[in-house]
Amino acid sequence: SSHVSSRIYMLIIGIIAAIYFPPFYVGNGVTRKDSFRGILLGTLALAIALTLVTFCIGALESLLVKGLNLPISLEQGVLLDTDDLADIQKNILANIFLAFILPTAGEIGGMTVTVLIMSTVGKYLLYCAGYLIGASFCRFNPYLGVAITLITSLLVLVHSVFGGFPINDFLFGTGIITLNLSPALSFLGSVSIIAIILWAARMISRRTPFKV
């Protein structure tokens, strides 16, 4: 549940940051380039902190239950059962919605360094996506903003597919597709998507007029 809430949180503050932070920094003499870098680097630290806090609380919970021999059984909850997932996979909009809120298998596979890294990347990607969406609405008219939002949503979906998220084959109708990529390839794919999103956000925000 903390993975879901933190992803939504990162998406929302990304949108807010793109709309309200740049005018504030520019109005106080900070260049657009420096403010862009500062916002994104600061939020990367936030993504790392959220991931570490989540895993530390989970580890402490497990340690207390096992160390004190409490009559409690810790189980990993299932957000969607097989039937629900099969129904949702038939709709591309539902696929995109799930890609935003559900962590990939590589982000919740246990308390390992690889999972920590992938979980942090997933949260940070949602922030970058929110930042691009917010920047597009600041720079362009609402219609183009919606178009960029859809493109950004598809990039988030691609990231989830890289992480093993099952997606329906809408193009050829051959059923559910699940990529079983190695953690290294999944990481490189996600980082590439983040790079694309950040490049687009930078190109948009560098020419956005601000009232200061």
Side-chain angles (χ1 to χ4, degrees):
S1 61
S2 62
H3 283 294
V4 173
S5 59
S6 61
R7 289 168 69 89
I8 298 173
Y9 169 72
M10 294 296 281
L11 175 68
I12 293 175
I13 66 172
I15 296 173
I16 294 174
I19 297 174
Y20 294 105
F21 285 4
F24 172 79
Y25 287 120
V26 172
N28 284 275
V30 182
T31 65
R32 294 169 186 256
K33 183 178 181 180
D34 288 341
S35 63
F36 184 79
R37 288 179 177 178
I39 291 171
L40 295 181
L41 288 175
T43 312
L44 176 59
L46 175 61
I48 295 173
L50 285 174
T51 301
L52 290 178
V53 168
T54 299
F55 277 79
C56 286
I57 292 176
L60 179 62
E61 181 184 54
S62 178
L63 181 63
L64 289 175
V65 170
K66 294 180 180 180
L68 299 177
N69 293 320
L70 298 177
I72 300 175
S73 177
L74 297 179
E75 297 181 358
Q76 183 172 346
V78 179
L79 297 176
L80 295 172
D81 59 29
T82 304
D83 294 335
D84 291 335
L85 187 59
D87 292 336
I88 293 173
Q89 291 297 329
K90 298 177 183 179
N91 188 303
I92 188 171
L93 293 179
N95 275 250
I96 293 174
F97 178 75
L98 288 182
F100 271 95
I101 66 172
L102 294 184
T104 63
E107 298 175 36
I108 55 174
M111 296 185 184
T112 64
V113 175
T114 300
V115 174
L116 285 171
I117 294 174
M118 294 306 299
S119 181
T120 300
V121 169
K123 293 180 179 66
Y124 188 62
L125 185 141
L126 264 293
Y127 175 85
C128 295
Y131 195 96
L132 177 56
I133 292 171
S136 65
F137 277 97
C138 285
R139 176 68 177 87
F140 305 115
N141 61 64
Y143 300 104
L144 190 52
V146 170
I148 294 177
T149 299
L150 293 176
I151 295 173
T152 306
S153 300
L154 291 176
L155 289 174
V156 174
L157 179 60
V158 172
H159 153 73
S160 295
V161 173
F162 284 158
F165 180 78
I167 181 174
N168 193 73
D169 183 0
F170 300 100
L171 296 178
F172 303 103
T174 57
I176 302 297
I177 296 177
T178 303
L179 296 181
N180 295 315
L181 300 179
S182 66
L185 289 177
S186 178
F187 173 78
L188 290 176
S190 298
V191 170
S192 299
I193 293 174
I194 290 176
I196 293 172
I197 293 175
L198 291 182
W199 174 83
R202 175 59 181 153
M203 292 299 103
I204 293 174
S205 61
R206 68 188 299 179
R207 297 184 180 277
T208 302
F210 297 134
K211 293 182 179 180
V212 295

